[in-house]
Amino acid sequence: MHDSTQSSRTARNSLLIMVCTLLSRLLGIVKARVIGSVFGATGVADVINFTFNIPNNFRKLFAEGTVNAALIPAFSSLLGRNEKQRSFHLFALLCTFQSILLIPLVVVSYCYGEPLIAFLSDFDADQIRLGGQLLPFFMVYLATISLASIFNGVLQAHQNFLHAYLSPLFFSLCVIFGVWFLSERFQAMSMAYSVLAGGLLQGSYSYLMVRRYGYRFKPTLRTRNAPFKEVFGAWALVSLGMGMQIVTQMVSFLFASHLSEGSVTAFSNSTIFYQTPYGIFFNAIAAVSLPLMSRASAAHDVPALRTYTRNALLSLLALLLPSSILLFFLSQESVSVVLQTGNYTLEDAHLTALVLRPYLVFMVFSAWYALLLRLGYSANRHALMTRIVFLQNLLDIVLMWIFLKLGLDIVSLPLANGISYTIGVCVLLFLLRDLYPLTKDAQLFKGLFTIILANVPILAFCVFYHNLGLTWHERGSNLVNLAYLVLIGVAALCILLLSYKAARIPLFSLLRTKKKGGDLQGDNLINLD
């Protein structure tokens, strides 16, 4: 009975994560549409996107990396041993530590906002002035969501995934309605006020939920009776890699700011479309596969570790390959239908679609790179993985510079990113060959061949549609064009489902989890054995 209950809970949580991630991506697209409609792809929009990217990148350092690498395992371990008081103390320490780090950043952004924007960008004087006004509001948002990450990490340790994944949706809703209703009166500052309100709402909601378990934000510096050093060590190591990713992202936006007007906005908007299928499917697979790999690694069960890794790689391919194909051929249509309204023109949509396509070409390799990093983390090879992340990001920056010098313009940025990830996959497969010897896994190659062959029909459908040369999307965003886009997508999905059924690819078994003999099985991943 216990196994059955746990199986149902695991499946329910996986589905919940996928649904919340989908809603988050959809709201992100709506948010981009509203911002694009109000500000277009003008110099003002470039400043908004550039400035907001600064705290958005620091979020990886203070929020996402901390939760994934240290907080959830630490709190889960304490709760498993029923050490609630130590858990409460660790919570207070982490909140205090985050505040000590983030309050000075807010103060610096308020006092030196304009010099910072001038140093990081190639904007003119008016744009620098606007960026300096926006930055303090965006940095307060960084502080609130960084604290919210601690709150949400505790919620996940308590198996409360609903509120942990629901709280970020409040931020997007606040920005959407704030910009829409306040922009006429406050112009670009409507974005600042909306982001501030959304961050406060997200953090407050998460804190109210975590208080129900007895946690309180009480400033303290006393580290005794709490595993603070262990958590901090794990956080610091992974954050080094996150920091390098932040540098790379900021360099990307710096390069984009040197290009023609609208390049920063096109680069920013393209990642929204790319991250929609990537985020939904990768999160669902990673959330299931990482615990399995960690358990197998801890038990020194190498065959199980290799099976879980293989199934995760195949699952990502089965989900992301058709997504890449469909979105690649419908990139112009998708961007136009979603964003082409108000001040966002057809030319702006063309540029965004141009940047989006290289991301899609390498999307599977990007996901495999991230999964293989998790394979290394599951074997406690954090230092090695951090070095790989540093080298991959350094290669990304070098390739961006080379491609820009070759005259590839804005396409240089996603192209360099994709190539560096692909090389990273090769390096990881070599360094982790003792954990997963790819060249000796005949079942993987059989699965790769089956999935690629099963995607030929949807590729043929997309090529046929592309050769028709239809221009209905050029009229921009309206309900009729949305209906056209949905119709094409549904037709492609039907073709894919029929093809996968014929190839016996169990696409809908992703969320089914079983336990046999007390061990969690990988039936929720695609298994083509």
Side-chain angles (χ1 to χ4, degrees), residues 91 148 150-152 154-156 158 160-167 170 201-216:
F91 174 83
I150 298 176
F151 309 153
N152 288 336
V154 173
L155 289 172
Q156 292 182 66
H158 281 273
N160 190 334
F161 292 94
L162 175 61
H163 296 298
Y165 280 87
L166 188 63
S167 62
F170 291 113
L201 180 61
Q202 177 180 340
S204 300
Y205 178 84
S206 297
Y207 183 60
L208 288 175
M209 294 302 106
V210 83
R211 279 178 61 91
R212 297 161 61 184
Y213 295 98
Y215 295 90
R216 298 293 185 269

Side-chain angles (χ1 to χ4, degrees), residues 45 75 98 111 189 217 257 280 288 294 367-368 417 457 461 477 488 503:
F75 280 106
Q98 286 278 42
C111 297
M189 291 304 294
F217 186 172
S257 72
I280 292 169
V288 172
S294 298
W368 280 3
N417 182 262
F461 170 79
S477 181
I488 296 170

Side-chain angles (χ1 to χ4, degrees), residues 170-415:
F170 291 113
F171 169 76
S172 295
L173 289 171
C174 200
V175 172
I176 290 168
F177 286 105
V179 171
W180 186 258
F181 289 107
L182 298 178
S183 59
E184 186 173 347
R185 180 177 180 182
F186 296 106
Q187 288 78 48
M189 291 304 294
S190 63
M191 181 69 176
Y193 302 144
S194 302
V195 165
L196 176 62
L200 290 172
L201 180 61
Q202 177 180 340
S204 300
Y205 178 84
S206 297
Y207 183 60
L208 288 175
M209 294 302 106
V210 83
R211 279 178 61 91
R212 297 161 61 184
Y213 295 98
Y215 295 90
R216 298 293 185 269
F217 186 172
K218 298 178 180 179
T220 180
L221 295 175
R222 184 172 55 86
T223 60
R224 290 185 61 185
N225 198 37
F228 180 75
K229 292 182 180 180
E230 294 83 351
V231 174
F232 180 79
W235 173 83
L237 194 57
V238 177
S239 292
L240 285 174
M242 291 287 183
M244 188 60 187
Q245 291 180 357
I246 291 171
V247 171
T248 303
Q249 188 74 356
M250 294 181 72
V251 170
S252 300
F253 274 85
L254 176 61
F255 284 150
S257 72
H258 282 276
L259 302 175
S260 59
E261 183 175 277
S263 295
V264 172
T265 300
F267 179 59
S268 178
N269 285 339
S270 67
T271 60
I272 296 173
F273 287 88
Y274 160 75
Q275 285 290 341
T276 299
Y278 180 93
I280 292 169
F281 296 131
F282 180 79
N283 283 346
I285 299 302
V288 172
S289 61
L290 181 56
L292 295 173
M293 291 190 294
S294 298
R295 178 181 297 186
S297 179
H300 304 289
D301 189 349
V302 176
L305 182 62
R306 293 174 180 176
T307 298
Y308 297 145
T309 303
R310 177 202 312 129
N311 291 344
L313 291 171
L314 292 176
S315 295
L316 287 171
L317 180 67
L319 291 167
L320 292 178
L321 181 58
S323 302
S324 301
I325 294 171
L326 184 60
L327 193 52
F328 182 91
F329 285 96
L330 293 177
S331 55
Q332 181 63 63
E333 289 84 346
S334 300
V335 175
S336 292
V337 167
V338 174
L339 297 180
Q340 189 183 323
T341 184
N343 293 322
Y344 203 92
T345 65
L346 177 61
E347 289 71 25
D348 299 329
H350 276 309
L351 186 59
T352 300
L354 181 67
V355 180
L356 173 61
R357 291 180 191 120
Y359 277 125
L360 298 171
V361 170
F362 294 99
M363 183 158 67
V364 171
F365 294 104
S366 301
W368 280 3
Y369 172 81
L371 181 76
L372 290 172
L373 283 178
R374 282 159 174 77
L375 173 62
Y377 292 140
S378 72
N380 294 317
R381 300 182 184 180
H382 294 82
L384 176 60
M385 297 301 100
T386 300
R387 289 196 292 269
I388 297 301
V389 170
F390 261 80
L391 292 174
Q392 179 267 318
N393 281 274
L394 182 61
L395 178 61
D396 192 349
I397 294 173
V398 171
L399 289 176
M400 281 190 285
W401 181 82
I402 292 174
F403 292 153
L404 285 169
K405 289 296 183 181
L406 292 176
L408 297 183
D409 203 65
I410 188 66
V411 174
S412 303
L413 310 186
L415 187 61

Side-chain angles (χ1 to χ4, degrees), residues 468-480:
L468 294 177
L470 302 178
T471 59
W472 55 268
H473 60 277
E474 294 182 357
R475 295 189 297 272
S477 181
N478 56 63
L479 290 177
V480 174

